[in-house]
Amino acid sequence: MSLPPLVEPAESLSVDEIRRYSRHLIIPDVGVEGQKRLKNAKVLCVGAGGLGSPALMYLAAAGVGTLGIVEFDTVDESNLQRQIIHGQSDIGRPKAESAANSVREINPYVNVVIHNTAIDRENVFEIFGQYDLIVDGTDNFATRYLVNDAAVLLGKPYVWGSIYRFDGQASVFWAEHGPCYRCLYPEPPPPGMVPSCAEGGVLGVLCASIGSIQVTEAIKLLAGIGEPLVGSLMVYDALEMSYRKIRVRKDPSCVLCGENPSITELVEDYEAFCGAVSVEAQEAVVDATITARELKEWQDADKDFLLVDVREPAEFEIVRIPGSVLIPKGEILSGEALAKLPQDKQIVLHCKSGVRSAEALAALKAAGFKDAVHVQGGVLAWVKTVDPSLPSY
């Protein structure tokens, strides 16, 4: 559907701005009027990572007058494969500051506002209230639901994107004109069912593909041109090089934007709502958790146990804790691997950060391996506290 422009035009463009944006100005659908709307627009990018990088760079190049960046993380070397707004010299710097520097280098006419913090229920209304449009570049379900709920309650549109391995999705959610994120995904997936990019990986250039769609949609909304993806989900398969547009209808029974909403304020705890780990896993790790240093002490003392790595084979090839054997979590949860596990020695599980091993631990305890334990923090904790010479990822 066509929608009216989201913002009013600025009073004028300078001579320098006319030169800079000339290729926009000669497009009839954009023109001087559309460019003045972009100049007057205030857009917030939630996240300066994989999706936030191309989004911020192209929003800046397009001439969006005010760009907000909300990001709490620091630049890590593993980010540079896809987060192109950062460079080698930025490692260790706050991502918000690194991204802001790049934006200013791309376009000095852009006013950059840094929010060097994690978005949460305490600050989201205050931050979102300063902007016309939100671009969601988050990579976890808790923040996605928070962004959606805050946008709906404030009556603001936002452009959403998601990436994983070779697949991407994008849409525009604006409850006043179509569905919200909860209409598409009423409930978050069960804990551990959908791996994060940190667990499953992502093709770096996929970020540019989906991020550029997000910026295209943002420009269309701000300038009031074309037909935004309100009520549509764009699905991209990089391996097949295919795009599919799926119709998404507003759910009249949606708990947030439906006819009789039961959610009228932000959820108290979005992490709990999305379940970082299942209740079974939370119960299983009680009195069944050891640290990476304790694992090293057990190894040095020649304690008799089997160390099981529940990550995927590709991760095992990158880095492994000495002495570990690979049995992916899926084989444990399905029961396929249970016959391989010894009954006469203690089982010690680990993964990358401790989430998947907690889920596998719950399955083992349910199968009768009562003395099984898992390693808190997994490989990341081992690299940090025991052997920093090993690569992190």
Side-chain angles (χ1 to χ4, degrees):
M1 70 178 79
S2 298
L3 295 173
L6 189 58
V7 296
E8 293 298 317
E11 286 188 9
S12 62
L13 299 175
S14 68
V15 173
D16 289 335
E17 288 173 327
I18 290 174
R19 276 197 293 262
R20 176 178 288 265
Y21 307 127
S22 62
R23 298 304 187 273
H24 272 179
L25 304 183
I26 60 177
I27 301 174
D29 289 346
V30 180
V32 173
E33 188 81 356
Q35 192 63 49
K36 289 196 293 186
R37 293 186 192 278
L38 295 181
K39 179 179 179 178
N40 204 32
K42 298 178 180 179
V43 176
L44 176 70
C45 277
V46 183
L51 291 174
S53 289
L56 284 164
M57 295 169 77
Y58 270 106
L59 287 168
V64 171
T66 298
L67 273 180
I69 306 171
V70 56
E71 173 65 78
F72 69 94
D73 203 1
T74 57
V75 180
D76 182 81
E77 188 172 15
S78 66
N79 301 148
L80 302 184
Q81 162 259 6
R82 64 201 177 282
Q83 299 180 17
I84 58 171
I85 204 167
H86 313 294
Q88 185 71 23
S89 63
D90 296 314
I91 293 175
R93 293 184 64 197
K95 285 184 180 179
E97 295 180 10
S98 169
N101 283 358
S102 296
V103 166
R104 295 186 183 107
E105 182 66 22
I106 291 170
N107 191 343
Y109 303 112
V110 174
N111 174 39
V112 186
V113 181
I114 295 175
H115 305 277
N116 196 356
T117 183
I119 201 86
D120 58 35
R121 72 184 309 274
E122 303 301 325
N123 62 22
V124 66
F125 284 154
E126 189 274 329
I127 294 176
F128 279 20
Q130 303 173 43
Y131 299 92
D132 304 304
L133 176 67
I134 315 300
V135 175
D136 182 10
T138 59
D139 62 356
N140 66 86
F141 288 102
T143 311
R144 287 173 184 168
Y145 279 96
L146 171 63
V147 169
N148 175 78
D149 294 359
V152 171
L153 294 173
L154 288 173
K156 292 185 181 290
Y158 77 101
V159 185
W160 171 80
S162 175
I163 51 176
Y164 177 69
R165 291 186 175 169
F166 298 96
D167 301 317
Q169 299 178 359
S171 188
V172 173
F173 296 112
W174 194 356
E176 292 182 13
H177 298 281
C180 76
Y181 183 76
R182 286 182 182 267
C183 295
L184 180 61
Y185 298 113
E187 297 288 340
M193 176 171 287
V194 180
S196 67
C197 290
E199 296 173 348
V202 60
L203 184 69
V205 72
L206 183 69
C207 302
S209 300
I210 300 302
S212 64
I213 292 176
Q214 289 182 281
V215 175
T216 303
E217 293 303 302
I219 292 172
K220 288 158 61 179
L221 288 166
L222 295 170
I225 59 177
E227 294 193 7
L229 285 173
V230 175
S232 295
L233 175 69
M234 182 66 74
V235 179
Y236 172 54
D237 183 335
L239 286 181
E240 297 292 333
M241 192 49 68
S242 64
Y243 289 89
R244 289 186 299 135
K245 185 186 287 189
I246 301 172
R247 181 68 178 166
V248 180
R249 300 188 181 278
K250 190 177 183 70
D251 183 0
S253 61
C254 176
V255 295
L256 183 67
C257 73
E259 297 171 358
N260 297 292
S262 58
I263 296 178
T264 56
E265 59 183 15
L266 296 177
V267 174
E268 186 67 30
D269 188 339
Y270 281 89
E271 292 288 348
F273 168 69
C274 292
V277 294
S278 67
V279 174
E280 293 79 8
Q282 294 177 37
E283 294 173 348
V285 301
V286 176
D287 299 324
T289 299
I290 65 172
T291 66
R293 289 190 181 277
E294 286 176 310
L295 172 60
K296 184 65 167 65
E297 291 171 0
W298 285 16
Q299 290 179 330
D300 292 343
D302 292 327
K303 184 173 180 178
D304 189 26
F305 64 91
L306 178 65
L307 180 60
V308 177
D309 187 332
V310 302
R311 298 175 299 155
E312 295 302 309
E315 296 175 275
F316 193 70
E317 288 298 314
I318 297 171
V319 59
R320 67 191 71 173
I321 296 177
S324 59
V325 298
L326 177 66
I327 303 179
K329 182 191 75 171
E331 295 182 16
I332 294 176
L333 297 186
S334 69
E336 177 186 348
L338 297 181
K340 305 176 186 177
L341 299 175
Q343 298 284 343
D344 58 346
K345 63 172 60 178
Q346 188 173 19
I347 308 297
V348 178
L349 304 173
H350 80 82
C351 61
K352 179 180 181 179
S353 63
V355 175
R356 284 174 284 177
S357 58
E359 299 290 347
L361 180 65
L364 282 192
K365 286 188 174 292
F369 294 85
K370 300 300 183 183
D371 63 347
V373 299
H374 90 128
V375 180
Q376 184 179 34
V379 170
L380 294 180
W382 180 271
V383 172
K384 182 177 181 180
T385 64
V386 177
D387 190 355
S389 67
L390 291 176
S392 184
Y393 71 104

